[in-house]
Each structure stands twice: as C-alpha cells, then as structure tokens.
Amino acid sequence: MKPAAFIRIIRPLNAVMAGFAGVLAFVIATGTLLPSVLIIFFMVLLITAAGNVINDYHDAAIDAINRPDRPIPSGEISQRAALVYSVLLFLIGNAIGIAYAPLPLIIIAALNSVLLWGYASYLKVMPLLGNLAVSYLSASIFLFGGALEGWEGVIANLPVAGACFGVILSRELIKDAEDMQGDKAHGARTLPILYGLKSTVLVAVASAIFGVIISLLLYFRWGNYYLVGIIPVDIIIFYGAFRAFWCSTSEEIKESHSSLFIKVGMFASLLIFLISAVLFR
C-alpha cells in the first residue's frame, strides 16, 4: 500500500471544497464568520472524505474496468484497508461533533453518515431514491452550516436547503435523461429508463418549480433587493428546465444544455444567498 493513496482516495479537492461549502452555509445562516466555524469545516471535510472512500470501496469492481487508475483497482490500497479507513474517517468526523458541536449538528452529521454509506451500498442503483439521496446530501450542507447555531440556525437555513434541493434534484433527473441511452446499454435502472423520458422531465420541471418557489419565499427574510437579484437567477433555472421539456430524445436534451443552465442558475443563487445574508441580515 502506498501512503499517498490514502490522500488520493478521499478526493482531497472535493472534500476541502465541501468543507468550505459548510463555512459558506454558516455565513448564510448567520451573516457572520466566527472561529467556531472550523468545527463545521473539519466535520464536513472528514465525513465527505469518508463517503468518497466508501463509494470507491463499493465501486471497486466497476472501477477496475472504467477507472483502473483509482487507488483500489490499481493496487495502491487494498479494499479492506479502504473499508477500515472509511469507518475511521466517519468516526473522527462524528467524534468532533460529539465533542464540540451542539446537538442538531451531531444529529445531522450522524444522519448524513448513514445516508452516505447507504447511497454507496445500494441507493445509487435505485431509481429516484438515488437522485433524492444525492440532492438531500448536497442541500444538507446548509443544514450543517445552520446547525452550529442550534435549531434556530437549522430553521433559518431550511428555505435555502429546500430551494437547493429542488434545483439539484431537477438537474440530477435531467442528467439521467441525457445519459439514458448509455445507461440502458449498461443495464442501469434509472427513472427515464423505467418510466420514460417525458415523465422524468416532468418531474424535473416540477422539482425546479418547487426550488424556485422556495427561493422566492426568502424575500420575507432578505427583502426587496434580494428579490431583484434572485428573480433573474430563477429565470435561468426555469429556462434550463423548460429547454429539456420541449425535447423528445436524450440526445436533444444533451444538445439543449439544459443541465448546464440549471447548474449556472444554482451557483448564481448561492452567490445571491451569500450577498443577501451579509448585507441584509
């Protein structure tokens, strides 16, 4: 086993960026930046890293074909060592919470750890449930950020998490629609394969509408200037979702760049949330 493999398998850039996202979520919840935010940073980093390792553990056979350069199939780290390493990272990440964090943060960290393990084990191959799990895990970073302030912080960030959940789920489903032909050839059981392209896109559009409506409700928190900023962003998200709606094949959806428009809108909305939290708290 190579020591460097223990770094590479956690996808360090991905894990560090997740940690910074947790810090961003705290700023959105409170409008401030405090030294205690390091608790969130390290908890999110370690739990994300653990999730990446357990994902590689369960994907070892697939990676041996598709990504033989990954640490497990390349022989840089054994599958058993990866499993033990993942458990250790989960335990350390949650232990930091138990030692230093308030109860809401401990609960969310434990829930997300279980869900990350479950996603890697079986949820990822389940139609819709896998999409829901990914969307929740991505959006829950805002619950993490708020939870450092207790239940009040969680409640403060619920609309932000809800808006992100809706938009992320929309993009996840449209990505499945884009990849329908390739997934079908590999025997995948995604929503568009089981229930059709049009039904999947309809759910994606409904999810985008849900996310946009929740984002507009944040007007009551941040006021008129926030509304001026978020409306153009919501239009981009709508535009992306409805571009897919008018397509009849997965190739047309891919060529429409629907998921790209939604992604741009999603990141723009995070910027609006951050600016509003700092300026209009």
Side-chain angles (χ1 to χ4, degrees):
M1 288 187 294
K2 297 181 179 180
F6 286 91
I7 300 297
R8 199 158 72 89
I9 198 171
I10 70 171
R11 294 180 172 85
L13 181 60
N14 172 277
V16 170
M17 290 303 295
F20 278 119
V23 173
L24 171 66
F26 177 80
V27 176
I28 290 173
T30 65
T32 60
L33 187 61
L34 302 173
S36 57
V37 80
L38 287 174
I39 296 171
I40 294 176
F41 176 79
F42 286 110
M43 285 182 70
V44 173
L45 187 155
L46 289 165
I47 291 172
T48 300
N52 290 337
V53 177
I54 197 62
N55 194 66
D56 272 22
Y57 169 81
H58 285 286
D59 284 354
I62 296 172
D63 285 344
I65 299 170
N66 296 332
R67 302 194 62 188
D69 60 319
R70 289 297 299 161
I72 295 176
S74 67
E76 294 178 21
I77 184 172
S78 71
Q79 207 166 347
R80 180 178 176 80
L83 177 61
V84 172
Y85 186 37
S86 175
V87 171
L88 186 62
L89 290 169
F90 274 125
L91 289 175
I92 295 172
N94 282 274
I96 291 173
I98 292 169
Y100 300 107
L103 181 61
L105 190 51
I106 296 170
I107 292 172
I108 294 170
L111 173 63
N112 283 20
S113 297
V114 171
L115 193 54
L116 278 166
W117 194 293
Y119 176 77
S121 303
Y122 58 90
L123 283 176
K124 70 165 66 177
V125 298
M126 299 182 70
L128 189 58
L129 285 179
N131 302 119
L132 289 168
V134 168
S135 303
Y136 163 76
L137 287 166
S138 299
S140 71
I141 197 72
F142 296 99
L143 304 183
F144 249 104
L148 191 59
E149 291 288 289
W151 291 116
E152 287 185 5
V154 173
I155 293 169
N157 265 13
L158 266 177
V160 176
C164 290
F165 173 83
V167 175
I168 293 167
L169 179 58
S170 177
R171 184 172 184 270
E172 282 288 310
L173 293 171
I174 287 174
K175 288 293 290 181
D176 277 356
E178 289 179 353
D179 299 337
M180 182 179 175
Q181 297 306 319
D183 287 341
K184 186 183 292 185
H186 287 86
R189 297 175 67 251
T190 62
L191 203 66
I193 290 171
L194 294 178
Y195 298 101
L197 200 68
K198 209 63 178 178
S199 297
T200 301
V201 173
L202 279 172
V203 176
V205 170
S207 183
I209 291 171
F210 170 80
V212 165
I213 290 172
I214 298 297
S215 74
L216 292 174
L217 292 177
L218 283 162
Y219 157 78
F220 296 103
R221 176 175 172 185
W222 288 319
N224 292 329
Y225 288 111
Y226 163 77
L227 205 59
V228 170
I230 202 64
I231 286 176
V233 172
D234 285 342
I235 290 172
I236 293 172
I237 293 169
F238 265 139
Y239 179 70
F242 278 97
R243 277 178 72 88
F245 181 77
W246 301 115
C247 297
S248 55
T249 68
S250 58
E251 275 302 315
E252 286 181 7
I253 294 176
K254 192 176 296 185
E255 290 170 4
S256 75
H257 303 294
S258 172
S259 63
L260 177 61
F261 279 104
I262 295 174
K263 184 177 181 180
V264 169
M266 182 173 63
F267 281 107
S269 67
L270 295 182
L271 181 61
I272 299 298
F273 294 155
L274 178 61
I275 292 171
S276 300
V278 172
L279 296 182
F280 311 130
R281 63 189 178 93

